[in-house]
Amino acid sequence: MNDSDSFDPLIDRPPSRYVVGIDLGTTNSAVTYVDTEESPWRIRVLLIPQRVSANEMESLDTLPSFHFTPVEVGQTESVQASTAGSNKKSAANSSAKSTSKDASFVGAFARDESTRTSGRGIASAKSWLSHSAVDRTAALLPWHAAENIERRSPVEVSAAFLRHIRGAWDQQFAGYPLAEQDIVITLPASFDEVARELTVSAAAAAGLPKIVLIEEPQAAFYAWVYKHDANWSSLVAVGQTILVCDIGGGTSDFTLIRVRQSGRQSGTGSDNGSAHEGPTENSIEDTSTGQVTEASKKIQFHRIAVGNHLILGGDNLDLAIAKYVEQKLSGDSKLAPHQWEVLVGRSREVKEQLLSADGPDRLTIHLPGRGSSVLGGGVQTEVLRQEIQDLILSGFLPVVDLHDKPETHGSGFQEFGLPFASDPAITRYLADFLTTHLGSSESCHDSVAKCKPDIVLFNGGFFASPILRNRVIDQISRWFANGESDSAVSDTGIDSAWRPQILDNDRLDLAVARGAAYYGMVRRDQGVRMAASLARSYYIGVAVPKVEGSARLSDDASLSNDVSDASDEMMAVCIMPGSAEAGESFTLSDRPFRLAVSQPVEFSLFVSSVRLSDQPGQMFSLDPEQMKSLPPIRTVLKTKSRNEKRAVAVELVTGLTEIGTLDLAFREVDSDRSWKLQFDVRSTTQTDIREHLASGESQGFVDEETWLACESCLASVFDESGNGDPQQLVNSLSAATGLHRDEWPMSLLRRIWDGLIQRNAGRTKSANHEARWLNLLGYSLRPGYGVALDDWRVTETWRSVNGKLNHATPSIRNESLILWRRVAGGLTAGQQSALAGPLLAGLRALAKQMEGKSIKGSIPIRPEESMEVSRLLGSLELLSLHQKAELGNLIFSLIAKPKLAKARDAMIWALGRLGQRTPLYGPLNTVLPTAQVESWIRAWLKASAMTVGDPIEQLAIVQMSRRTHDRYRDIDAGFRGEVLKYLQRNSAAEHLLTLVRDGGQFDAEEQSRVFGESLPQGLRL
């Protein structure tokens, strides 16, 4: 296949007049374009109108990637109105205004205002698109939002930038709407598949449904080729290796490009041992005429390697400078959150000025004050150019050995929500990348010298500083001087006999956008094409029967991850090699697989950027060091017959789309039936926050005979002909397994769940039957995740139970509350909100009733129900912060009421869950603000009825004061001391004191108490 095949998202429309390149950057975005009617064509920069002050608009060549919601919405709207009357270009900025109830804007003024006002600005939205530990479609930004600020998802913020760009374009090219032009958008080479799909979604939300993606290092290289279109072929030679170092505001990307002889055929000995290099018909063409030149016939560029995803870039430098300045200002104490946010913004300016070639020798940093003791209401300190340079070079670009590896400790930045790289030393990651990829090439086995990159191309705002560029070049020179390792080079100097050649790429802030536009022309067969292999291999997990102690691929291999046989082993089959290029497809027809249809299945996917020589169809043991887990695909492969629940023989067909995403289809053998799989982005982003690592299955399986005995117990109670006693069912199951119910493995628990769901009708036999059915269903599915397909199981439970109780008795209602509390971790935010709504209303009515106030509308929760209602509401971690705060306040108004004495422990437990500093299963943006939680603790310590005399009370107060080393989540340091003294006076365990004083993890027993009952055996939350 080639660019004109069905993988091309622009195939259905004729070529547009303009080709547009968009760099959707972490710190700055830029737009370039080509007018194809211009001859010879040129790449031009789009000037983007944007607000630069409250009353001034200006057209700039970049759009700072910042989003800001002002303090006074009405004031902002009046500013927009006055500006619109005096400057027609304000139409572009108004296009970026949020459709929500509050006003917002993006660009230069948004950047500047974010440094002055805490909790209202959004930065680094692009980094959040690649953050797999949160729901990337959820409204979670600003991460530490000010009160009454509406949060937005990373997708929404990215769409706001693109919407602003679309408005700017449409204003200047009224007859040629941006949505109708060929658009190429850049993204980091290391973006995962979900981040790529979310980028496409953001573009669609901005009214740009037809786009092509290109990876930023490729775009940077295309920009260099464009700049040197007259002489590029004289600057490189066949056999050389080009290293692209692309470090922007949010990520570090390393890419290797090999200069090869044009027309080289696959199978002649490729880099990294790959037996397939993809199409070789991509010839080198002159940029203006599109004609093949004699000088360029000899050369092709092939991308051969891409580094792993690293959230490590300019943002990290800003944070490091801010930490350094904070220590100068306050020693070991931390600045107030509003001071810290201003300092981070100011640190970005310090970095840009003091690391520049002609920067000043020193700068003064001013911060707002926090309290009457601060002279003049603010604080200030001076930083020197040399100390900042030393800080950055020693921390981020230290001199290391070529064979050094990155450290694996946790990131020091705890309060920003993003999974920053564990080791800030970029040079260690670069060394690891070079030794991993170049060292595996057949041309590099003789000596280190043969592995060196001959040429370096810098890209990204990080390298705007010549100081940082020079340090990287010095380090590479040390590694490869005289073809020897660093240990052979004198400490007193660098061998000047060899240094890598530097490819000049001016305007690093525009290079990627220029390269994107150039690639758009390459797609029209004009320009120099790079043969960009995928540079990462993909795998699918299969369950393979063990034979004589080892696994082998056979006709019995199953593509379902819902393994039910203890003798099966999970293996990885390569489905897309690293040598693949856009448009290629592969069919794994040598041996068919067994595929379950008309029933839920989970497909585990893995990716490796180091196993580039693996070929489609090859099977390997899972290697977590070399294969990284991707969010699984969960689906039901439907057939015409709903009753066709069986395994069919299929072969896999995979393809690499033009926009760089993976196509995966199953084709039935000897049939024309096929099923195409795609990432369900919303489902994936919600489920990959608890990445499935087969923790549940790892606990083992019971033999089939034991399961049949368990199934017989279920049938005796819930089948129509059964006459068993539901009250004795758990005892019967324990007798059948020989295990106490706390010892049942999760694989057995989930099979019990399945047996109960199949016998749903049996719960209608009596109230006792329904009570036992509900109780055991929740117990067998707790905590709602941990085993493949648990999200589907929770959905089926919701459909079967919510609003469908058969017996209207208090015990049945209570059992339903217990069920939802047990599986709360698997419920979506919408499901949790649906459960909480009527319960909160009933709790409000109960509070009024207890105060002797009149009640209208909602029926109060009965006192005897308040225990399980409190426990359920406390377990719903995905509720809004407003709901959580209201619930906690209601609990404080009720907790000392004599009529609710039996529910007091449950309310205390719920309060601990509501105010916890580290969620049990929810993302960090679900944590309540410290001010709210501190008010509860203070009230607690003052209440005469409250004594920390029992484990439930101790655990709750520890949950609310446990140290996280995150300034936004931790209670005030001085107040923490008061809490510690209070706990000590009441004989709290030493481990609980340690959690408050120093932080750490709950032990297994404490974790079960936080969960509310015993956890499934072996499970850690």
Short mmCIF file of all heavy atoms in Angstrom, two decimals, residues 371-396:
data_model
loop_
_atom_site.label_atom_id
_atom_site.label_comp_id
_atom_site.label_asym_id
_atom_site.label_seq_id
_atom_site.Cartn_x
_atom_site.Cartn_y
_atom_site.Cartn_z
N GLY A 371 0.97 36.88 54.54
CA GLY A 371 0.87 37.18 55.97
C GLY A 371 1.46 38.53 56.31
O GLY A 371 2.29 39.08 55.57
N SER A 372 1.07 39.05 57.44
CA SER A 372 1.47 40.40 57.85
C SER A 372 2.94 40.52 58.19
O SER A 372 3.49 41.61 58.23
CB SER A 372 0.62 40.83 59.06
OG SER A 372 0.80 39.90 60.12
N SER A 373 3.60 39.38 58.46
CA SER A 373 5.01 39.45 58.86
C SER A 373 5.94 39.68 57.69
O SER A 373 7.11 39.95 57.89
CB SER A 373 5.40 38.14 59.57
OG SER A 373 5.28 37.04 58.67
N VAL A 374 5.43 39.58 56.48
CA VAL A 374 6.27 39.76 55.30
C VAL A 374 6.34 41.25 54.96
O VAL A 374 5.34 41.89 54.70
CB VAL A 374 5.73 38.96 54.10
CG1 VAL A 374 6.64 39.14 52.90
CG2 VAL A 374 5.62 37.48 54.48
N LEU A 375 7.54 41.79 54.97
CA LEU A 375 7.75 43.21 54.74
C LEU A 375 7.23 43.60 53.36
O LEU A 375 7.56 42.98 52.36
CB LEU A 375 9.24 43.55 54.87
CG LEU A 375 9.60 45.03 54.68
CD1 LEU A 375 8.96 45.87 55.78
CD2 LEU A 375 11.13 45.18 54.69
N GLY A 376 6.39 44.62 53.31
CA GLY A 376 5.90 45.13 52.04
C GLY A 376 4.92 44.21 51.36
O GLY A 376 4.59 44.44 50.20
N GLY A 377 4.47 43.19 52.06
CA GLY A 377 3.49 42.29 51.46
C GLY A 377 4.05 41.32 50.46
O GLY A 377 3.31 40.61 49.80
N GLY A 378 5.36 41.26 50.28
CA GLY A 378 5.95 40.35 49.31
C GLY A 378 7.35 39.94 49.71
O GLY A 378 7.91 40.44 50.69
N VAL A 379 7.92 39.01 48.95
CA VAL A 379 9.29 38.55 49.21
C VAL A 379 10.06 38.60 47.90
O VAL A 379 9.49 38.60 46.81
CB VAL A 379 9.30 37.12 49.78
CG1 VAL A 379 8.67 37.08 51.16
CG2 VAL A 379 8.57 36.15 48.84
N GLN A 380 11.37 38.64 48.02
CA GLN A 380 12.20 38.65 46.82
C GLN A 380 13.56 38.03 47.12
O GLN A 380 13.99 37.95 48.27
CB GLN A 380 12.37 40.07 46.29
CG GLN A 380 13.24 40.97 47.15
CD GLN A 380 13.39 42.35 46.55
OE1 GLN A 380 12.44 42.94 46.06
NE2 GLN A 380 14.62 42.86 46.58
N THR A 381 14.21 37.59 46.07
CA THR A 381 15.57 37.07 46.18
C THR A 381 16.25 37.26 44.83
O THR A 381 15.59 37.47 43.80
CB THR A 381 15.57 35.58 46.58
OG1 THR A 381 16.91 35.18 46.87
CG2 THR A 381 15.05 34.70 45.45
N GLU A 382 17.56 37.17 44.84
CA GLU A 382 18.35 37.35 43.63
C GLU A 382 18.97 36.01 43.22
O GLU A 382 19.43 35.24 44.07
CB GLU A 382 19.45 38.38 43.87
CG GLU A 382 20.21 38.79 42.62
CD GLU A 382 21.23 39.88 42.90
OE1 GLU A 382 22.23 39.58 43.61
OE2 GLU A 382 21.04 41.00 42.43
N VAL A 383 18.96 35.73 41.94
CA VAL A 383 19.62 34.53 41.42
C VAL A 383 20.68 34.95 40.41
O VAL A 383 20.50 35.90 39.65
CB VAL A 383 18.61 33.57 40.76
CG1 VAL A 383 17.69 32.95 41.78
CG2 VAL A 383 17.80 34.26 39.67
N LEU A 384 21.80 34.23 40.42
CA LEU A 384 22.92 34.53 39.53
C LEU A 384 22.89 33.63 38.31
O LEU A 384 22.46 32.47 38.37
CB LEU A 384 24.23 34.33 40.28
CG LEU A 384 24.42 35.13 41.57
CD1 LEU A 384 25.77 34.80 42.20
CD2 LEU A 384 24.29 36.62 41.30
N ARG A 385 23.36 34.15 37.21
CA ARG A 385 23.43 33.39 35.96
C ARG A 385 24.22 32.10 36.15
O ARG A 385 23.80 31.02 35.73
CB ARG A 385 24.07 34.27 34.89
CG ARG A 385 24.37 33.58 33.56
CD ARG A 385 25.07 34.56 32.63
NE ARG A 385 25.52 33.95 31.38
CZ ARG A 385 24.76 33.85 30.28
NH1 ARG A 385 23.52 34.32 30.29
NH2 ARG A 385 25.24 33.31 29.19
N GLN A 386 25.37 32.18 36.85
CA GLN A 386 26.23 31.02 36.99
C GLN A 386 25.56 29.94 37.84
O GLN A 386 25.66 28.75 37.53
CB GLN A 386 27.56 31.42 37.61
CG GLN A 386 28.61 30.32 37.57
CD GLN A 386 28.94 29.88 36.15
OE1 GLN A 386 29.24 30.70 35.28
NE2 GLN A 386 28.84 28.57 35.87
N GLU A 387 24.86 30.31 38.91
CA GLU A 387 24.26 29.29 39.77
C GLU A 387 23.12 28.58 39.04
O GLU A 387 22.91 27.36 39.23
CB GLU A 387 23.78 29.90 41.09
CG GLU A 387 22.69 30.93 40.99
CD GLU A 387 22.30 31.49 42.35
OE1 GLU A 387 22.37 30.75 43.35
OE2 GLU A 387 21.94 32.69 42.42
N ILE A 388 22.38 29.27 38.21
CA ILE A 388 21.29 28.63 37.46
C ILE A 388 21.87 27.71 36.39
O ILE A 388 21.37 26.58 36.17
CB ILE A 388 20.37 29.69 36.83
CG1 ILE A 388 19.66 30.48 37.93
CG2 ILE A 388 19.36 29.03 35.90
CD1 ILE A 388 18.81 29.64 38.86
N GLN A 389 22.93 28.15 35.73
CA GLN A 389 23.58 27.29 34.75
C GLN A 389 24.11 26.02 35.41
O GLN A 389 23.94 24.91 34.89
CB GLN A 389 24.71 28.04 34.05
CG GLN A 389 24.24 29.12 33.09
CD GLN A 389 25.39 29.78 32.33
OE1 GLN A 389 26.51 29.28 32.36
NE2 GLN A 389 25.11 30.88 31.67
N ASP A 390 24.76 26.17 36.53
CA ASP A 390 25.30 25.00 37.24
C ASP A 390 24.17 24.06 37.66
O ASP A 390 24.30 22.83 37.58
CB ASP A 390 26.10 25.44 38.47
CG ASP A 390 27.38 26.18 38.10
OD1 ASP A 390 27.80 26.08 36.92
OD2 ASP A 390 27.95 26.85 38.98
N LEU A 391 23.08 24.63 38.14
CA LEU A 391 21.93 23.83 38.58
C LEU A 391 21.39 22.99 37.42
O LEU A 391 21.16 21.77 37.57
CB LEU A 391 20.84 24.75 39.12
CG LEU A 391 19.50 24.09 39.45
CD1 LEU A 391 19.62 23.26 40.71
CD2 LEU A 391 18.40 25.16 39.61
N ILE A 392 21.21 23.61 36.28
CA ILE A 392 20.61 22.91 35.14
C ILE A 392 21.58 21.89 34.54
O ILE A 392 21.19 20.75 34.25
CB ILE A 392 20.18 23.93 34.07
CG1 ILE A 392 19.11 24.87 34.62
CG2 ILE A 392 19.67 23.22 32.83
CD1 ILE A 392 17.89 24.18 35.19
N LEU A 393 22.83 22.28 34.39
CA LEU A 393 23.79 21.36 33.77
C LEU A 393 24.05 20.14 34.66
O LEU A 393 24.09 19.01 34.18
CB LEU A 393 25.09 22.09 33.48
CG LEU A 393 25.04 23.15 32.37
CD1 LEU A 393 26.38 23.84 32.22
CD2 LEU A 393 24.62 22.53 31.04
N SER A 394 24.20 20.36 35.95
CA SER A 394 24.48 19.23 36.84
C SER A 394 23.26 18.35 37.03
O SER A 394 23.38 17.13 37.21
CB SER A 394 24.99 19.74 38.19
OG SER A 394 23.99 20.52 38.83
N GLY A 395 22.08 18.95 37.00
CA GLY A 395 20.87 18.17 37.23
C GLY A 395 20.32 17.48 36.01
O GLY A 395 19.85 16.34 36.08
N PHE A 396 20.36 18.15 34.85
CA PHE A 396 19.71 17.63 33.65
C PHE A 396 20.69 17.16 32.58
O PHE A 396 20.34 16.31 31.76
CB PHE A 396 18.78 18.70 33.07
CG PHE A 396 17.61 19.01 33.96
CD1 PHE A 396 17.68 20.01 34.90
CD2 PHE A 396 16.45 18.27 33.86
CE1 PHE A 396 16.61 20.28 35.74
CE2 PHE A 396 15.36 18.52 34.69
CZ PHE A 396 15.45 19.53 35.64
#
